[in-house]
Amino acid sequence: MAVSYKKLWKLLIDKDMKKKDLCALSGISPSSLTKMGKNGHVTTEVLAKICKALDCSVEDIMEFVQEE
């Protein structure tokens, strides 16, 4: 199983936010966002900070997808 953060990028577009805005609002590092941009793994602490900042749940920002 792979992780996809497409939901997060769509949510940022819907909220008219840039990635740097998310970093400032949530307190996460740009390197964490870079990992997420490559659908890499980040800690649950990072996910929790994003969810708190965007007032959403984990299901709203990520999903597991089948690897091909």
Side-chain angles (χ1 to χ4, degrees):
M1 287 245 154
V3 177
S4 172
Y5 296 102
K6 287 181 182 179
K7 289 182 171 185
L8 173 60
W9 312 134
K10 183 176 181 333
L11 187 60
L12 290 180
I13 291 168
D14 292 345
K15 290 182 177 273
D16 196 28
M17 290 179 70
K18 297 187 181 325
K19 291 179 181 180
K20 66 178 183 176
D21 299 330
L22 179 60
C23 286
L25 185 64
S26 64
I28 63 170
S29 69
S31 63
S32 292
L33 269 186
T34 300
K35 281 184 191 178
M36 295 173 81
K38 298 176 183 176
N39 289 328
H41 296 282
V42 294
T43 65
T44 52
E45 180 182 6
V46 169
L47 297 174
K49 286 180 178 182
I50 292 171
C51 289
K52 183 177 180 184
L54 297 177
D55 191 30
C56 65
S57 64
V58 167
E59 296 86 17
D60 296 328
I61 62 169
M62 66 171 282
E63 64 184 340
F64 291 104
V65 293
Q66 291 290 337
E67 292 184 75
E68 295 179 12

